[in-house]
Amino acid sequence: MMNVVQPIAVPGKPPAATLGLIDVDIHPRPKSITEFRPFLSDRWWQHLQSWGMRPRHGFTAGQPPFPKAQPLASRRDAWPPNGGTPASDLDFLRFQLLDNYGVDVGVLNPLQPSGQGDRNSAFSAAMAHAVNEWQLEHWLRKEPRLRGSIVVPYEDPQASAAEIRKRAGDPNFCQVLMMSRTAEPCGNPRYWPIYEAAAEAGLPVAFHAFGYSGWAMTNGGWPSFYIEEVSEHATSCQNQVISLVVEGVFERFPALKVILIECGFAWLPSVAWRLDTHWKTLKSEVPHLTRLPSEQIRQHVWVSTQPMEEPERGAHLVDICEWIGWDRILFASDYPHWDFDDPRQALPGTIPAERRAGIYGGNAKALYGL
Amino acid sequence: MFSGYRPIDCDLHPMVPGMKALTPYMDAFWADQVVERGITTLDSQSWPVGSPKTIRADWRGPNGRGAETVEQLRAQVLDRFGVETAILNPLYGVQLVLNQDMAVAFTRALNDWTRAEWLDRDDRLRASIVLPMQSVEAAVAEVERLAPDRRFVQVLALALGEDPLGKRQYWPIYEACVRHGLPLGIHAGSAYRHPQTSVGWTSWYLEEYAANQQGFQSCLASLLTEGALVKFPQLKVVLLESGVTWLPAFLWRLQKVWKGVRFEIPWVDRLPAEIIREQVRLTVQPFDAPAEAVPRVLDHLRSDRMLLWASDWPHWQFDGDAAVPPGIPDALLLKLLRENALATYDRIREGALA
Amino acid sequence: MGATPRPCTAFEARQGEEGNLLPLVGRTAPNPLHPFSVSLRVAKLVVGPVSEIPPGGRKLVEAEGKRIVVFNLSGEFFALSDRCPHQGGSLCAGLVSGHVESKEPGVYHYARRGEMIRCPWHYWEFDIRTGKSWFDPKRVQVRQFPAHVESGAALVEGPYTAETFPVRVEDEYVVVEA
Ligand code: FES
């Protein structure tokens, strides 16, 4: 079977990307787990060998509870011709993504295996450190177009804060990475050391849709299908935004910036309105909230495009972008995953020409200070 | 306020004053259990009595509670708003009970209490059959027991239950609904089998209340993907107190993914949004959007048949008489206040025609 | 079907208000090589000897600025544009699978193994025989080209000769009208 083909259209970035093309969602993987070996102590390397990752669900060996639609949830044409898994080969990633679309800056979000959300917090911390070193060694020092995310063992907020402080000021890293499914709602004060360290370092905190909280994937129990899991990524992110606002995280850390990556975004106005509406009747419970929730969201929350909701009428997406704020929307390809967006095709025709440059690059430049 | 229409109010909540009120509707064993074991109340954290949301301040009685008598209901809603027909959705915490036998006994008592204390006292009133979801068999039996009384016009489950509502074990209930012309009402609230979010327990009631919005999305996703809606095309689903405005974005996402992974649910063989627009209805208190955004949200819904008016009495969703969410255009009022409800509830329609 | 190339149906659909939302590259990034460009000239393309594409196999060819993928379904040849009408994923890199339908929830009727091509990106499925998408067969289609088998003898005699490889009179060749 033919697995790899040449790009169809001539390489090049979208002409509307006049402020540059910044892709905020790329998922590198190690070719093999041994790539992490130099960055793990003997003790944790042994642990990894014996036990592997132990996320908050029952399967081992990276098998997800809801089998993906494709192997490793990846584009079928993203398996490198020289072997290895999708996005494990820098040269092929350059060829298929960076060069092909003219990506000026690509932000790495290592998802798996990264040890985030592992049941063993000490191991999670060791892995986070290793994954960050691995990003530097295998990607960031080799390719100046790439930026890394500081992977943190978020269920151990103190260790997370230490990892952030260790990387603060290193221009290779442009954000802190958490998964959207934490074991408790992410606004809970127990996570605040992470936000404190991120705000102090001037780094945004990105929540990437994924992870296993250990709780049922809906607040009414476990669903059956992968298509439901994909849908439920949005609901878990909605809960996270609600939690960040209601717990007062943005009031406590006025400099904090949060990015929702791969969470969709058309739901955000509804969540903001809901909080505004019911804050009015429930103010007495949450006196620590002094500002309208929708204002807090408008000021502190950014979203990424892929996977963009697809309304039946394109104009409806424009309404959503207006409500969220055009300056809050960042382009993401999600390479090499199956729901990848081609930068030249991703934005619907209804999005006005003058807004495209910001989405493609201008907004991310301003956010990350690139 | 209602442009002269006599509205149909699709969501009201009589509140059980305490377990003592239900014991007359139990057999001797359960009535004694209630007393002997000191089961005083099943009030749920979904609706804390002291919460300003649960009972609007000017609708509270001198005892601090509310929605306890038909007289209150008449004065605060029925007569005040000229309501023609009103559907009672009791939210007493029988769904939270863990002992299945106890749950069935208490739920039957609750439904009988609703019938005797409310339906029998004002002929404008209709009610939902509260389902003991702890047992599908018992839930079906409860539907069969009460369906002959045409004043029961729908069945009622909570959005945040034990398993997503589309799961096939629940289908005998939906079969019974179709058999008797009863929509499936799904109301905000949790049976507390799971945290209120998929990322754990919330600290604040505001978070918990907001999280119902996520539960409704999960319910719909489940009813659609499991095939309940295509299996029972006559089944109407009414989402009560859902907030409404989350629906378009949810559909856009689900439908997009379906185009690629529909192989997983091949029985869903046409656009999910179409199926949902045909079979799902939502009450509009609350309607979570500022007035200026409402017309655009309505456009996103792409249907003027889906919305049903409700006062949500005694919950505090509006002040004074502003019972229609601001921003709703006049052109929608007749449908919103009457026609959509008549099209949804066979049993109200037959009463209106009689 | 006629041999005249036509713009993809999905392209047409995207022009309208009810369109499938995603714009073509061409609208924001005019691309001379783009396969949607309409050419009235019909070229006969000799894809290769029949033996080169065994049953279940496929081959990608490029001509006249078009990329075309040719499939062999048990001896019948079908040619589709390689470009997915959604965002342009290369169908040749996709998964060939069967078609599952259902008369009722929980019942899977799986048939036509090997006759559906799934885009390598967002997994939309297209019928290799018709190019039609499963979820919206009227509006979302992959452009199809007529394909058939001709003898080498006929090809050598005719006006259309393959330039890139020698045609042998005694062999059979897959030919696409593009
Ligand atoms: S490019 Fe999206 S399905 Fe083919």
Side-chain angles (χ1 to χ4, degrees):
Chain A
M1 181 181 120
M2 183 171 242
N3 240 350
V4 177
V5 291
Q6 301 297 312
I8 293 168
V10 284
K13 76 175 60 163
T18 52
L19 300 173
L21 179 61
I22 299 178
D23 180 352
V24 303
D25 195 24
I26 300 172
H27 302 297
R29 292 182 69 101
K31 281 201 180 73
S32 119
I33 199 81
T34 54
E35 286 187 7
F36 295 145
R37 176 65 187 99
F39 315 116
L40 282 169
S41 67
D42 291 346
R43 188 250 180 282
W44 289 121
W45 176 249
Q46 284 308 325
H47 180 93
L48 177 58
Q49 297 293 293
S50 307
W51 304 103
M53 305 289 160
R54 292 163 71 241
R56 287 166 160 82
H57 68 72
F59 289 115
T60 62
Q63 174 64 41
F66 294 93
K68 310 284 182 190
Q70 296 90 337
L72 297 181
S74 289
R75 278 171 51 169
R76 285 194 180 261
D77 58 349
W79 293 75
N82 301 328
T85 51
S88 67
D89 179 322
L90 175 57
D91 283 332
F92 191 62
L93 182 133
R94 283 181 179 128
F95 165 76
Q96 202 168 44
L97 180 68
L98 302 180
D99 298 345
N100 191 21
Y101 299 111
V103 175
D104 295 300
V105 177
V107 179
L108 301 182
N109 294 308
L111 293 187
Q112 273 190 322
S114 74
Q116 283 194 311
D118 198 277
R119 291 160 56 185
N120 183 323
S121 283
F123 171 65
S124 182
M127 276 296 295
H129 167 81
V131 171
N132 293 332
E133 290 297 317
W134 167 82
Q135 288 183 78
L136 284 167
E137 177 90 7
H138 285 260
W139 303 89
L140 305 176
R141 292 196 186 110
K142 290 181 179 164
E143 175 46 72
R145 285 172 289 184
L146 295 178
R147 297 289 182 285
S149 294
I150 303 175
V151 172
V152 293
Y154 47 76
E155 299 304 347
D156 181 345
Q158 314 301 335
S160 300
E163 187 67 25
I164 294 167
R165 294 202 167 96
K166 198 158 40 184
R167 314 279 171 193
D170 182 342
N172 283 300
F173 292 98
C174 68
Q175 66 185 12
V176 172
L177 179 66
M178 294 174 70
M179 296 294 105
S180 62
R181 287 201 180 101
T182 45
E184 291 187 73
C186 70
N188 189 295
R190 91 179 187 84
Y191 296 108
W192 288 13
I194 302 176
Y195 311 132
E196 186 180 16
E200 195 181 284
L203 293 169
V205 175
F207 288 89
H208 189 287
F210 199 59
Y212 301 97
S213 66
W215 304 106
M217 216 166 257
T218 85
N219 47 16
W222 284 97
S224 302
F225 302 108
Y226 175 63
I227 186 172
E228 290 179 281
E229 185 197 16
V230 176
S231 184
E232 299 305 341
H233 282 311
T235 56
S236 66
C237 296
Q238 291 161 24
N239 287 133
Q240 299 292 38
V241 171
I242 291 166
S243 173
L244 287 167
V245 171
V246 177
E247 294 276 17
V249 172
F250 299 130
E251 307 247 7
R252 175 71 178 75
F253 304 105
L256 184 66
K257 299 168 176 179
V258 162
I259 314 173
L260 306 174
I261 297 184
E262 206 177 336
C263 305
F265 59 79
W267 46 264
L268 188 57
S270 170
V271 166
W273 295 333
R274 184 167 177 83
L275 286 174
D276 282 1
T277 304
H278 301 288
W279 177 56
K280 285 180 195 136
T281 48
L282 292 166
K283 253 181 193 164
S284 59
E285 189 204 20
V286 284
H288 55 277
L289 293 191
T290 61
R291 289 189 302 138
L292 207 57
S294 62
E295 272 171 31
Q296 301 195 32
I297 290 172
R298 178 70 177 84
Q299 187 184 339
H300 293 274
V301 177
W302 279 255
V303 298
S304 71
T305 53
Q306 184 283 333
M308 252 181 305
E309 287 85 353
E310 285 185 10
E312 291 150 292
R313 288 172 193 263
H316 292 165
L317 197 70
V318 175
D319 290 342
I320 299 289
C321 295
E322 270 166 13
W323 285 326
I324 290 175
W326 288 103
D327 59 340
R328 288 300 188 263
I329 302 170
L330 314 173
F331 175 77
S333 76
D334 194 30
Y335 182 86
H337 289 163
W338 70 282
D339 33 359
F340 164 85
D341 267 344
D342 178 331
R344 294 171 306 195
Q345 304 262 5
L347 303 185
T350 46
I351 294 197
E354 69 274 14
R355 303 295 188 184
R356 292 170 176 263
I359 295 174
Y360 278 131
N363 299 339
K365 254 185 198 161
L367 167 66
Y368 292 120
L370 295 168
Chain B
M1 152 196 24
F2 295 123
S3 302
Y5 302 123
R6 295 201 67 201
I8 296 170
D9 187 340
C10 295
D11 191 27
L12 305 97
H13 307 293
M15 292 178 71
V16 178
M19 285 301 280
K20 263 198 203 131
L22 295 191
T23 46
Y25 303 97
M26 295 175 197
D27 67 25
F29 174 74
W30 288 111
D32 280 358
Q33 286 280 299
V34 167
V35 176
E36 290 167 12
R37 297 172 73 178
I39 307 170
T40 54
T41 176
L42 297 182
D43 282 338
S44 160
Q45 280 204 36
S46 294
W47 310 104
V49 172
S51 160
K53 172 65 73 187
T54 304
I55 306 167
R56 202 173 104 168
D58 57 337
W59 289 343
R60 274 184 205 267
N63 63 354
R65 298 183 65 98
E68 288 184 311
T69 65
V70 172
E71 289 67 35
Q72 285 170 317
L73 174 55
R74 287 191 190 119
Q76 292 168 0
V77 176
L78 298 183
D79 296 343
R80 172 125 207 137
F81 297 147
V83 168
E84 181 177 275
T85 305
I87 304 173
L88 304 175
N89 294 313
L91 296 174
Y92 204 46
V94 289
Q95 299 93 335
L96 281 65
V97 172
L98 294 160
N99 171 339
Q100 180 181 311
D101 301 331
M102 182 188 284
V104 172
F106 289 0
T107 306
R108 288 171 61 110
L110 174 63
N111 287 325
D112 287 341
W113 172 84
T114 303
R115 174 150 61 177
E117 310 280 341
W118 297 80
L119 298 185
D120 286 351
R121 294 186 181 183
D122 194 306
D123 55 16
R124 286 169 289 187
L125 296 181
R126 302 291 182 275
S128 295
I129 302 169
V130 176
L131 296 175
M133 292 297 276
Q134 293 89 338
S135 157
V136 172
E137 224 184 324
V140 171
E142 189 64 355
V143 174
E144 295 297 341
R145 184 175 78 88
L146 296 174
D149 185 336
R150 310 290 292 180
R151 294 173 301 174
F152 286 105
V153 298
Q154 90 184 333
V155 304
L156 190 66
L158 293 178
L160 283 57
E162 179 135 24
D163 270 320
L165 285 173
K167 290 252 183 185
R168 305 208 177 128
Q169 73 248 27
Y170 294 125
W171 288 16
I173 298 171
Y174 308 147
E175 218 177 305
C177 287
V178 170
R179 198 159 54 236
H180 294 292
L182 297 163
L184 166 65
I186 303 175
H187 197 282
S190 177
Y192 295 89
R193 299 303 193 263
H194 307 279
Q196 307 79 51
T197 82
S198 57
V199 292
W201 290 81
T202 53
S203 306
W204 306 92
Y205 181 74
L206 173 54
E207 282 178 276
E208 166 160 9
Y209 185 80
N212 284 300
Q213 184 189 35
Q214 286 67 56
F216 281 106
Q217 294 170 59
S218 307
C219 281
L220 270 198
S222 178
L223 286 164
L224 180 96
T225 60
E226 296 275 359
L229 295 180
V230 294
K231 173 79 178 178
F232 304 106
Q234 308 99 311
L235 181 69
K236 288 274 190 306
V237 177
V238 183
L239 307 183
L240 299 148
E241 204 175 334
S242 77
V244 183
T245 58
W246 51 270
L247 181 63
F250 162 77
L251 291 176
W252 301 340
R253 181 181 178 96
L254 186 70
Q255 185 149 296
K256 173 177 179 163
V257 182
W258 170 81
K259 288 176 185 173
V261 299
R262 71 99 214 159
F263 65 84
E264 200 185 17
I265 49 168
W267 41 87
V268 179
D269 56 4
R270 61 201 178 98
L271 295 178
E274 280 176 11
I275 296 172
I276 284 173
R277 278 197 289 263
E278 275 166 32
Q279 290 178 253
V280 175
R281 303 289 176 258
L282 307 91
T283 59
V284 297
Q285 281 297 0
F287 191 99
D288 298 326
E292 63 275 15
V294 168
R296 284 152 91 184
V297 172
L298 293 174
D299 192 38
H300 294 188
L301 279 177
R302 303 194 70 199
S303 167
D304 57 5
R305 296 183 302 154
M306 296 179 80
L307 301 183
L308 312 174
W309 178 71
S311 65
D312 196 22
W313 177 83
H315 298 167
W316 181 21
Q317 306 293 6
F318 59 90
D319 291 314
D321 292 343
V324 174
I328 300 260
D330 286 350
L332 189 62
L333 280 185
L334 177 57
K335 284 203 157 78
L336 176 76
L337 296 171
R338 294 186 51 85
E339 288 181 351
N340 290 347
L342 291 173
T344 303
Y345 294 102
D346 293 352
R347 292 177 171 215
I348 294 183
R349 192 168 59 244
E350 74 198 18
L353 293 175
Chain C
M1 72 178 269
T4 308
R6 53 178 174 76
C8 170
T9 316
F11 173 76
E12 291 162 344
R14 281 169 189 178
Q15 307 302 302
E17 161 72 18
E18 295 284 341
N20 201 42
L21 301 174
L22 292 164
L24 274 182
V25 153
R27 285 167 74 182
T28 50
N31 174 0
L33 295 183
H34 198 281
F36 289 120
S37 57
V38 181
S39 155
L40 293 178
R41 204 164 59 80
V42 178
K44 230 182 210 183
L45 199 67
V46 183
V47 175
V50 165
S51 59
E52 207 182 280
I53 315 176
R58 63 186 109 164
K59 183 178 178 185
L60 185 65
V61 289
E62 191 161 353
E64 310 275 322
K66 304 180 188 90
R67 293 167 68 92
I68 296 171
V69 54
V70 182
F71 297 90
N72 179 343
L73 299 188
S74 317
E76 278 183 273
F77 290 89
F78 297 92
L80 300 177
S81 164
D82 184 49
R83 188 182 172 81
C84 175
H86 179 217
Q87 285 195 11
S90 164
L91 294 182
C92 186
L95 175 79
V96 168
S97 184
H99 183 61
V100 61
E101 284 182 330
S102 172
K103 277 200 288 290
E104 84 172 308
V107 176
Y108 302 81
H109 177 68
Y110 187 51
R112 300 190 58 203
R113 284 179 81 187
E115 298 198 4
M116 303 297 287
I117 178 80
R118 294 224 178 108
C119 177
W121 293 3
H122 315 99
Y123 235 35
W124 289 9
E125 52 193 318
F126 300 95
D127 187 333
I128 291 173
R129 289 181 181 274
T130 63
K132 291 180 179 175
S133 70
W134 181 86
F135 73 88
D136 192 354
K138 283 205 193 79
R139 294 200 311 169
V140 180
Q141 304 179 357
V142 186
R143 184 171 159 192
Q144 196 183 39
F145 302 93
H148 60 271
V149 173
E150 274 186 44
S151 71
L155 285 175
V156 170
E157 279 165 22
Y160 314 104
T161 335
E163 283 163 17
T164 50
F165 53 86
V167 169
R168 303 196 322 168
V169 182
E170 62 274 26
D171 279 353
E172 300 226 289
Y173 292 86
V174 181
V175 175
V176 168
E177 288 169 34

